[in-house]
Amino acid sequence: SSSNSPLPSLNGKGFHHVNVNGSLYPAKAKSRRHMWEVKPSEMANNTLNPIRAIVDGMKITPNPEKPMIALSIGDPTVFGNLPTDETVLQALKDSIDSQKYNGYAPSVGYLKSRQVVANFYSCPEAPLDAEDVILTSGCSQAIDLCISVLCNPGDNILVPCPGFSLYKTLAVSMGIEVKLYNLLPEKSWEVDLQHLESLIDERTSCLIVTNPSNPCGSVFTKEHLQQILKVASKHCLPILADEIYSDMVFPGCSCPSMASLSSSVPILSCGGLAKRWLVPGWRMGWILIHDRNDIFGPEIRQGLVKLSQRILGACSIVQGALEGIFNNTPPSFYNSTISFLKSNSEICFNELSTVPGLNPVMPSGAMYLMVGIDMDHFPEFKNDVDFTERLVIDQSVFCLPASAFEYPNFFRIVVTVPEEMMVEACVRIREFCQHTRAGISSEIPP
């Protein structure tokens, strides 16, 4: 080509070498680093897990004479006493054997799998179609996508206290402020509605409601959910409903989805297989988009689709198993899980409610029970962290201090452990509380 051609000439291999700034050679670098300096990003530095922060700082050396009982881990599979149903395993095996699910699925999930979820959760008050479902890598990614699509840096979100620590971990890493609204233990952990409403301002972009609750095990009544929705409606606040424990409620208790009670408030409901089907490691979650008044409109849906493309979605093999899991799991499986959790909760509540200085709150669902510590009764302990630390050292029972949920002077018990371990743990907690008091009273002169 002639020398005045605007195109760079082809090099020997027939490739154009075009540089971004239009010349064939890069502009000379203004300055050069003379030393290596590679630092973690602000996002990485701002990602903190409050549970890890507290647990890692605890001195946890159990009593060598007593086998350890961990009542701290929210994983129902750890003791092997709550296996998932055979039909769930078979659905996964069939999915693998079909060899249809080895490739990339669309980032929001296979259309057929999304339709299966939509059919399972649809109800006349809150109908769902495949287009209203986004499949995610566990409920955690569902929550991450919802916060990401609704909030900008500098916005704030309303989060229950005590509440699941992941909301804060995700939000703070994105530059979003977290405002904690109180739950009231004396009202079975209902929301303090006045406190909730007082926190709302023009930068509030989302209200998170966890029902049933981790860490409280509480289940809101239909009337209370309607009161929460009324506040959201009044202030035009979308809701992120964390409903991973939906349907894990004790007999005699009902737990309607928030969307089924709302005519005006747009809701992103997050759920997954982890808890009800007892397979948290399978990493299958979903977002159900409830937007009957078209407030989210196409923009929020499109935003969720774009965000889902960051990690290309949920495990394809588990997606392929969803139809078999939903259609074939027998009701007896769900019922036996729930009756076990209720029985263990009752054992724990009945045992600990007669221990002076402890105030357990009876749950109505999920896998947890919160116990209040009357710190005046235990003057030798500074706080709940100190109390739970000493409980491990003396009795080899580990409960999670509720400071991990920003709620001091309580601790959380996971009720998925085998019954005999639950009984033994309660005996040890009682012994610990009595010995502590006995030690104190023997030191106090008459």
PDB file of all heavy atoms in Angstrom, residues 157-173:
ATOM      1  N   ILE A 157     -29.554   0.289  53.095  1.00  0.00           N
ATOM      2  CA  ILE A 157     -30.562  -0.772  53.130  1.00  0.00           C
ATOM      3  C   ILE A 157     -30.950  -1.026  54.586  1.00  0.00           C
ATOM      4  O   ILE A 157     -30.150  -0.779  55.501  1.00  0.00           O
ATOM      5  CB  ILE A 157     -30.073  -2.081  52.470  1.00  0.00           C
ATOM      6  CG1 ILE A 157     -28.812  -2.619  53.165  1.00  0.00           C
ATOM      7  CG2 ILE A 157     -29.813  -1.885  50.997  1.00  0.00           C
ATOM      8  CD1 ILE A 157     -28.392  -4.006  52.681  1.00  0.00           C
ATOM      9  N   LEU A 158     -32.170  -1.503  54.783  1.00  0.00           N
ATOM     10  CA  LEU A 158     -32.665  -1.799  56.124  1.00  0.00           C
ATOM     11  C   LEU A 158     -32.585  -3.304  56.351  1.00  0.00           C
ATOM     12  O   LEU A 158     -33.122  -4.089  55.563  1.00  0.00           O
ATOM     13  CB  LEU A 158     -34.102  -1.312  56.266  1.00  0.00           C
ATOM     14  CG  LEU A 158     -34.348   0.163  55.919  1.00  0.00           C
ATOM     15  CD1 LEU A 158     -35.809   0.527  56.102  1.00  0.00           C
ATOM     16  CD2 LEU A 158     -33.467   1.059  56.777  1.00  0.00           C
ATOM     17  N   VAL A 159     -31.914  -3.669  57.437  1.00  0.00           N
ATOM     18  CA  VAL A 159     -31.579  -5.066  57.706  1.00  0.00           C
ATOM     19  C   VAL A 159     -32.028  -5.427  59.122  1.00  0.00           C
ATOM     20  O   VAL A 159     -31.829  -4.628  60.048  1.00  0.00           O
ATOM     21  CB  VAL A 159     -30.042  -5.253  57.559  1.00  0.00           C
ATOM     22  CG1 VAL A 159     -29.583  -6.599  58.076  1.00  0.00           C
ATOM     23  CG2 VAL A 159     -29.626  -5.074  56.097  1.00  0.00           C
ATOM     24  N   PRO A 160     -32.629  -6.609  59.319  1.00  0.00           N
ATOM     25  CA  PRO A 160     -33.090  -6.973  60.665  1.00  0.00           C
ATOM     26  C   PRO A 160     -31.946  -7.174  61.652  1.00  0.00           C
ATOM     27  O   PRO A 160     -30.858  -7.604  61.267  1.00  0.00           O
ATOM     28  CB  PRO A 160     -33.836  -8.297  60.438  1.00  0.00           C
ATOM     29  CG  PRO A 160     -33.312  -8.845  59.160  1.00  0.00           C
ATOM     30  CD  PRO A 160     -32.914  -7.665  58.326  1.00  0.00           C
ATOM     31  N   CYS A 161     -32.220  -6.866  62.911  1.00  0.00           N
ATOM     32  CA  CYS A 161     -31.230  -7.060  63.976  1.00  0.00           C
ATOM     33  C   CYS A 161     -31.925  -7.715  65.169  1.00  0.00           C
ATOM     34  O   CYS A 161     -32.824  -7.105  65.741  1.00  0.00           O
ATOM     35  CB  CYS A 161     -30.631  -5.713  64.381  1.00  0.00           C
ATOM     36  SG  CYS A 161     -29.380  -5.874  65.662  1.00  0.00           S
ATOM     37  N   PRO A 162     -31.562  -8.952  65.532  1.00  0.00           N
ATOM     38  CA  PRO A 162     -30.481  -9.733  64.930  1.00  0.00           C
ATOM     39  C   PRO A 162     -30.869 -10.252  63.543  1.00  0.00           C
ATOM     40  O   PRO A 162     -32.040 -10.490  63.274  1.00  0.00           O
ATOM     41  CB  PRO A 162     -30.300 -10.892  65.913  1.00  0.00           C
ATOM     42  CG  PRO A 162     -31.613 -11.035  66.596  1.00  0.00           C
ATOM     43  CD  PRO A 162     -32.201  -9.653  66.667  1.00  0.00           C
ATOM     44  N   GLY A 163     -29.847 -10.412  62.700  1.00  0.00           N
ATOM     45  CA  GLY A 163     -30.108 -10.874  61.341  1.00  0.00           C
ATOM     46  C   GLY A 163     -28.906 -11.599  60.761  1.00  0.00           C
ATOM     47  O   GLY A 163     -27.809 -11.558  61.317  1.00  0.00           O
ATOM     48  N   PHE A 164     -29.137 -12.246  59.647  1.00  0.00           N
ATOM     49  CA  PHE A 164     -28.103 -13.002  58.935  1.00  0.00           C
ATOM     50  C   PHE A 164     -26.974 -12.049  58.527  1.00  0.00           C
ATOM     51  O   PHE A 164     -27.228 -11.000  57.933  1.00  0.00           O
ATOM     52  CB  PHE A 164     -28.762 -13.659  57.719  1.00  0.00           C
ATOM     53  CG  PHE A 164     -27.869 -14.523  56.883  1.00  0.00           C
ATOM     54  CD1 PHE A 164     -26.931 -15.368  57.455  1.00  0.00           C
ATOM     55  CD2 PHE A 164     -27.977 -14.499  55.502  1.00  0.00           C
ATOM     56  CE1 PHE A 164     -26.122 -16.178  56.671  1.00  0.00           C
ATOM     57  CE2 PHE A 164     -27.175 -15.307  54.703  1.00  0.00           C
ATOM     58  CZ  PHE A 164     -26.244 -16.142  55.292  1.00  0.00           C
ATOM     59  N   SER A 165     -25.743 -12.427  58.841  1.00  0.00           N
ATOM     60  CA  SER A 165     -24.625 -11.487  58.681  1.00  0.00           C
ATOM     61  C   SER A 165     -24.246 -11.208  57.223  1.00  0.00           C
ATOM     62  O   SER A 165     -23.597 -10.208  56.926  1.00  0.00           O
ATOM     63  CB  SER A 165     -23.397 -12.017  59.427  1.00  0.00           C
ATOM     64  OG  SER A 165     -23.045 -13.295  58.927  1.00  0.00           O
ATOM     65  N   LEU A 166     -24.650 -12.072  56.288  1.00  0.00           N
ATOM     66  CA  LEU A 166     -24.227 -11.901  54.889  1.00  0.00           C
ATOM     67  C   LEU A 166     -24.710 -10.585  54.286  1.00  0.00           C
ATOM     68  O   LEU A 166     -24.036  -9.995  53.447  1.00  0.00           O
ATOM     69  CB  LEU A 166     -24.726 -13.073  54.034  1.00  0.00           C
ATOM     70  CG  LEU A 166     -24.285 -13.024  52.567  1.00  0.00           C
ATOM     71  CD1 LEU A 166     -22.808 -13.356  52.420  1.00  0.00           C
ATOM     72  CD2 LEU A 166     -25.111 -13.959  51.700  1.00  0.00           C
ATOM     73  N   TYR A 167     -25.906 -10.114  54.703  1.00  0.00           N
ATOM     74  CA  TYR A 167     -26.426  -8.871  54.122  1.00  0.00           C
ATOM     75  C   TYR A 167     -25.410  -7.744  54.302  1.00  0.00           C
ATOM     76  O   TYR A 167     -25.129  -6.986  53.374  1.00  0.00           O
ATOM     77  CB  TYR A 167     -27.750  -8.447  54.766  1.00  0.00           C
ATOM     78  CG  TYR A 167     -28.784  -9.537  54.913  1.00  0.00           C
ATOM     79  CD1 TYR A 167     -29.465  -9.716  56.115  1.00  0.00           C
ATOM     80  CD2 TYR A 167     -29.103 -10.386  53.849  1.00  0.00           C
ATOM     81  CE1 TYR A 167     -30.431 -10.708  56.264  1.00  0.00           C
ATOM     82  CE2 TYR A 167     -30.068 -11.385  53.996  1.00  0.00           C
ATOM     83  CZ  TYR A 167     -30.721 -11.542  55.206  1.00  0.00           C
ATOM     84  OH  TYR A 167     -31.668 -12.519  55.355  1.00  0.00           O
ATOM     85  N   LYS A 168     -24.880  -7.641  55.507  1.00  0.00           N
ATOM     86  CA  LYS A 168     -23.926  -6.564  55.799  1.00  0.00           C
ATOM     87  C   LYS A 168     -22.614  -6.800  55.059  1.00  0.00           C
ATOM     88  O   LYS A 168     -22.029  -5.866  54.505  1.00  0.00           O
ATOM     89  CB  LYS A 168     -23.680  -6.474  57.305  1.00  0.00           C
ATOM     90  CG  LYS A 168     -22.768  -5.323  57.675  1.00  0.00           C
ATOM     91  CD  LYS A 168     -22.635  -5.136  59.167  1.00  0.00           C
ATOM     92  CE  LYS A 168     -21.767  -3.921  59.465  1.00  0.00           C
ATOM     93  NZ  LYS A 168     -21.638  -3.676  60.919  1.00  0.00           N
ATOM     94  N   THR A 169     -22.160  -8.053  55.053  1.00  0.00           N
ATOM     95  CA  THR A 169     -20.911  -8.385  54.353  1.00  0.00           C
ATOM     96  C   THR A 169     -20.968  -7.910  52.897  1.00  0.00           C
ATOM     97  O   THR A 169     -20.059  -7.250  52.393  1.00  0.00           O
ATOM     98  CB  THR A 169     -20.661  -9.906  54.390  1.00  0.00           C
ATOM     99  OG1 THR A 169     -20.563 -10.317  55.758  1.00  0.00           O
ATOM    100  CG2 THR A 169     -19.381 -10.281  53.662  1.00  0.00           C
ATOM    101  N   LEU A 170     -22.070  -8.232  52.222  1.00  0.00           N
ATOM    102  CA  LEU A 170     -22.212  -7.860  50.807  1.00  0.00           C
ATOM    103  C   LEU A 170     -22.356  -6.354  50.640  1.00  0.00           C
ATOM    104  O   LEU A 170     -21.674  -5.740  49.820  1.00  0.00           O
ATOM    105  CB  LEU A 170     -23.438  -8.561  50.208  1.00  0.00           C
ATOM    106  CG  LEU A 170     -23.357 -10.089  50.101  1.00  0.00           C
ATOM    107  CD1 LEU A 170     -24.710 -10.662  49.696  1.00  0.00           C
ATOM    108  CD2 LEU A 170     -22.288 -10.511  49.100  1.00  0.00           C
ATOM    109  N   ALA A 171     -23.246  -5.760  51.431  1.00  0.00           N
ATOM    110  CA  ALA A 171     -23.547  -4.337  51.257  1.00  0.00           C
ATOM    111  C   ALA A 171     -22.323  -3.462  51.497  1.00  0.00           C
ATOM    112  O   ALA A 171     -22.005  -2.591  50.682  1.00  0.00           O
ATOM    113  CB  ALA A 171     -24.688  -3.931  52.191  1.00  0.00           C
ATOM    114  N   VAL A 172     -21.623  -3.692  52.604  1.00  0.00           N
ATOM    115  CA  VAL A 172     -20.483  -2.840  52.951  1.00  0.00           C
ATOM    116  C   VAL A 172     -19.396  -2.944  51.885  1.00  0.00           C
ATOM    117  O   VAL A 172     -18.766  -1.946  51.520  1.00  0.00           O
ATOM    118  CB  VAL A 172     -19.943  -3.202  54.362  1.00  0.00           C
ATOM    119  CG1 VAL A 172     -18.639  -2.493  54.653  1.00  0.00           C
ATOM    120  CG2 VAL A 172     -20.990  -2.846  55.425  1.00  0.00           C
ATOM    121  N   SER A 173     -19.216  -4.151  51.322  1.00  0.00           N
ATOM    122  CA  SER A 173     -18.196  -4.305  50.275  1.00  0.00           C
ATOM    123  C   SER A 173     -18.555  -3.508  49.024  1.00  0.00           C
ATOM    124  O   SER A 173     -17.697  -3.184  48.215  1.00  0.00           O
ATOM    125  CB  SER A 173     -18.005  -5.780  49.921  1.00  0.00           C
ATOM    126  OG  SER A 173     -19.072  -6.247  49.128  1.00  0.00           O
TER     127      SER A 173
END
